Amino acid sequence: MGRYSTPFVGVLLLCCLVSFSEAEYLKYKDPKVPLNDRISDLMKRMTLEEKIGQMTQIERSVATPDVIKNYFIGSVLSGGGSVPAPKASARTWVQMVNQMQKAALSTRLGIPMIYGIDAVHGHNNVYNATIFPHNVGLGVTRDPVLIKKIGEATALEVRATGIPYIFAPCIAVCRDPRWGRCYESYSEDPRIVRTMTEIIPGLQGDIPGNSMKGVPFVAAKNKVAACAKHYVGDGGTNKGINENNTLINYKGLLSIHMPAYYDSIIKGVSTVMISYSSWNGKKMHANRKLITGYLKNKLHFKGFVISDWQGIDRITSPPHANYSYSVQAGVSAGIDMIMVPFNYTEFIDELTRQPLLPLPKKSAKILVAGSHAKNLGYQCGGWTITWQGLGGNDLTSGTTILDAVKQTVDPATEVVYSENPDVNFVKSNKFSYAIVVVGEHTYAETFGDSLNLTIAEPGPSTITNVCGAIRCVVVLISGRPVVIKPYLSKIDALVAAWLPGTEGQGVADVLYGDYEFTGKLARTWFKTVDQLPMNVGDKHYDPLFPFGFGLTTNLTKY
């Protein structure tokens, strides 16, 4: 059988695109056009929803044809033991995959989905497939020729079930046999693990001599796309505890756990899966330095990076504690495809939701509300002119946040101020958006002790009335984290301005994009006061916003 190169670029598998229409010439469907040109043409045609769908991998059990079509799903997988039927035949597997592929190809752009499965020692999810020894036994052979043949046989059996993509090989370097996944590792010696990456050309085919470094290669229809996993350091966790922290310096990480990834990329591996584990306390799924900085930029990996099963959920502890943060952190780190695998609507909604910040300077009419919007004393807090501080605008000179907003927006934008408007007022005025500024009153020392840490009245009702009716950003003026969780579902954007002082213009500058938001929490933000005290590193750490959390905005001039 003749071989043909199938590079993967970004998250799109282009080799299966349907033949282009005679009625309309579509460059991205023309196999004679250079691949990069086809990709560029396709990307220009894609909507935001289609791009996000292509980043989404869902489990077979929820991947109905309607879901695939309506959400433009880019990939489907079988989790461990997830099969179309007990003792399903190869024909049954093919029929299932084809039904899903038919749905994907029926979408507006006809982008095929890619089906993935864990074939870690043969096609191990499939009845009657050949089950090869686990990696712990194969490493003993130190035989790259043998391991390549196993890759070839595995690829053939996987493709016989209609599946083009597998989550293998595991190239972990198991440094502690107490690890429950140690048998998935070839060796404690990175040299042996490097040798066994020869399974990749067995799975994918031999990469051509003139191939560019880092560009994936799948040779023919009897080959599969491989996945080197789990990047990086999964075999070096403290005490061998699964998904734990790998404590090692940068030189050690590169010399022990990284070399096999270099070999895998040289051999054209198509994808890389990120590890659940952390490196010196930093979750790998949120590690932009190692994913984008090293894997993509240093090693020039051009395939796609995929998360592990619910991998972004586990960025926080406990998992899914702050999903908005997890999605932002994972995608920003450089993960191209998210193995969701079930709650795909939540993931898609997080990415499709258009951010409110930075605010547009030019709008018909906007609302500024809240007891702290027009109060210089509240902005300054305690120990300002007087010991306890003083609310109002007679304490000293400066710029309130309300005045700063008025000075920042376009002259044609009408700014309406109402300290605590009711719902009918908000709904009837057709505001483009609202800024709600609330928080604590002034205090110092013992007078500031609080057992409830609530927002001062009428702040809670202002948030409810305004943010329940229109899109809003809430600016908190406080000397510490306060109770905000009950209101989060109504808020589109939340800004912790702390006690910003006399110059309210600084708050308006970041709200409107003249400067970026760059701050990261220097203290933990709790869910309820019953959790306190709670600090980063505590055994039962379950924050609303963890230590170090903070979203950033791109510098935008309106």
Side-chain angles (χ1 to χ4, degrees):
M1 181 179 291
R3 298 191 301 181
Y4 58 93
S5 172
T6 312
F8 282 51
V9 182
V11 298
L12 303 175
L13 180 67
L14 295 177
C15 62
C16 301
L17 287 172
V18 295
S19 58
F20 57 94
S21 168
E22 294 180 0
E24 178 188 1
Y25 175 72
L26 300 173
K27 183 186 291 187
Y28 75 93
K29 292 186 177 182
D30 188 346
K32 297 177 182 178
V33 173
L35 184 62
N36 284 339
D37 292 341
R38 295 172 66 191
I39 293 170
S40 178
D41 179 66
L42 177 58
M43 293 293 288
K44 291 176 183 177
R45 298 173 187 268
M46 293 175 72
T47 64
L48 176 64
E49 290 75 15
E50 287 167 332
K51 291 175 182 176
I52 292 171
Q54 290 302 299
M55 295 174 63
T56 308
Q57 185 179 66
I58 64 174
E59 217 282 327
R60 176 200 64 80
S61 59
V62 297
T64 65
D66 283 344
V67 167
I68 293 171
K69 285 189 292 186
N70 294 338
Y71 292 96
F72 312 105
I73 298 298
S75 185
V76 179
L77 84 150
S78 279
S82 179
V83 298
K87 298 184 179 181
S89 66
R91 180 183 296 275
T92 301
W93 280 92
V94 169
Q95 289 172 344
M96 177 192 70
V97 175
N98 284 351
Q99 182 184 33
M100 296 177 182
Q101 194 66 274
K102 183 179 179 181
L105 295 175
S106 70
T107 57
R108 183 179 70 92
L109 295 173
I111 303 171
M113 68 89 195
I114 180 170
Y115 197 102
I117 196 167
D118 283 284
V120 298
H121 63 135
H123 201 3
N124 48 268
N125 272 298
V126 176
Y127 182 70
N128 268 338
T130 306
I131 305 298
F132 291 100
H134 271 292
N135 292 351
V136 65
L138 297 177
V140 173
T141 70
R142 293 169 165 81
D143 188 343
V145 175
L146 173 64
I147 197 71
K148 183 177 181 181
K149 289 180 179 179
I150 290 175
E152 291 170 347
T154 299
L156 193 62
E157 293 196 0
V158 171
R159 288 307 295 259
T161 57
I163 297 172
Y165 175 32
I166 68 168
F167 308 126
C170 176
I171 54 174
V173 181
C174 178
R175 305 291 285 182
D176 190 328
R178 292 176 290 182
W179 186 35
R181 303 188 71 164
C182 203
Y183 66 76
E184 297 182 49
S185 169
Y186 293 110
S187 176
E188 68 186 46
D189 186 341
R191 293 172 296 182
I192 292 177
V193 179
R194 294 183 73 174
T195 298
M196 306 311 273
T197 59
E198 193 63 15
I199 194 173
I200 291 170
L203 293 166
Q204 298 191 161
D206 292 309
I207 193 166
N210 62 350
S211 180
M212 291 178 59
K213 177 187 174 183
V215 177
F217 177 84
V218 180
K221 293 181 179 180
N222 62 346
K223 299 295 182 181
V224 294
C227 178
K229 66 182 189 181
H230 307 86
Y231 184 85
V232 58
D234 53 336
T237 57
N238 187 36
K239 298 181 181 179
I241 299 172
N242 192 40
E243 304 180 19
N244 201 13
N245 192 16
T246 298
L247 300 170
I248 193 170
N249 61 27
Y250 187 60
K251 182 179 179 181
L253 186 77
L254 296 190
S255 63
I256 295 174
H257 299 286
M258 192 68 76
Y261 286 95
Y262 177 80
D263 289 88
S264 299
I265 291 167
I266 290 294
K267 293 173 182 179
V269 72
S270 297
T271 71
V272 171
M273 183 182 292
I274 304 302
S275 175
Y276 288 129
S277 59
S278 304
W279 175 51
N280 294 335
K282 177 74 172 180
K283 285 284 188 179
M284 277 306 307
H285 275 80
N287 198 319
R288 180 174 174 82
K289 177 181 177 181
L290 287 178
I291 297 174
T292 296
Y294 199 87
L295 180 64
K296 293 185 176 184
N297 295 341
K298 181 74 172 180
L299 297 184
H300 303 291
F301 175 60
K302 303 299 182 186
F304 71 75
V305 175
I306 187 169
S307 80
D308 207 334
W309 178 280
Q310 294 181 334
I312 62 168
D313 299 57
R314 301 189 201 188
I315 289 174
T316 59
S317 180
H320 207 81
N322 189 329
Y323 195 62
S324 295
Y325 165 70
S326 294
V327 171
Q328 188 262 353
V331 173
S332 296
I335 300 175
D336 302 303
M337 181 173 283
I338 307 298
M339 192 183 292
V340 175
F342 299 114
N343 295 329
Y344 54 89
T345 55
E346 182 183 23
F347 170 71
I348 290 170
D349 287 346
E350 284 293 339
L351 285 179
T352 53
R353 185 166 58 224
Q354 296 293 322
L356 183 56
L357 295 177
L359 296 168
K361 292 181 179 179
K362 191 170 186 177
S363 299
K365 182 165 59 172
I366 67 171
L367 172 66
V368 178
S371 54
H372 290 53
K374 191 181 179 181
N375 198 304
L376 202 61
Y378 287 165
Q379 285 177 209
C380 294
W383 286 103
T384 305
I385 309 299
T386 69
W387 177 35
Q388 291 294 319
L390 186 66
N393 295 309
D394 296 327
L395 193 67
T396 187
S397 61
T399 305
T400 65
I401 293 173
L402 173 62
D403 287 338
V405 169
K406 290 178 177 179
Q407 294 168 19
T408 303
V409 297
D410 187 272
T413 299
E414 181 183 355
V415 179
V416 175
Y417 173 68
S418 177
E419 182 175 334
N420 188 30
D422 61 31
V423 175
N424 291 333
F425 176 83
V426 177
K427 288 183 176 180
S428 64
N429 270 277
K430 298 181 179 179
F431 295 111
S432 300
Y433 59 85
I435 301 170
V436 177
V437 191
V438 294
E440 295 186 293
H441 291 162
T442 64
Y443 56 82
E445 300 182 18
T446 306
F447 292 93
D449 291 351
S450 173
L451 297 179
N452 52 39
L453 294 176
T454 53
I455 295 169
E457 293 293 345
S461 62
T462 306
I463 294 174
T464 301
N465 292 345
V466 176
C467 299
I470 57 173
R471 298 194 76 193
C472 80
V473 53
V474 170
V475 179
L476 282 178
I477 305 298
S478 66
R480 54 202 165 185
V482 292
V483 174
I484 193 64
K485 187 175 184 292
Y487 320 110
L488 276 184
S489 61
K490 296 180 173 66
I491 297 171
D492 295 288
L494 176 65
V495 175
W498 307 111
L499 299 171
T502 57
E503 307 311 308
Q505 187 62 50
V507 177
D509 284 346
V510 288
L511 287 176
Y512 284 95
D514 291 318
Y515 292 87
E516 295 180 355
F517 282 97
T518 59
K520 305 294 180 184
L521 283 179
R523 61 182 66 254
T524 298
W525 204 297
F526 58 87
K527 292 179 179 176
T528 68
V529 292
D530 294 335
Q531 295 175 297
L532 302 177
M534 178 176 60
N535 297 283
V536 63
D538 288 354
K539 184 176 181 180
H540 300 291
Y541 190 66
D542 181 20
L544 179 64
F545 300 112
F547 178 89
F549 176 76
L551 302 181
T552 59
T553 51
N554 293 323
L555 191 59
T556 305
K557 297 284 187 181
Y558 284 89

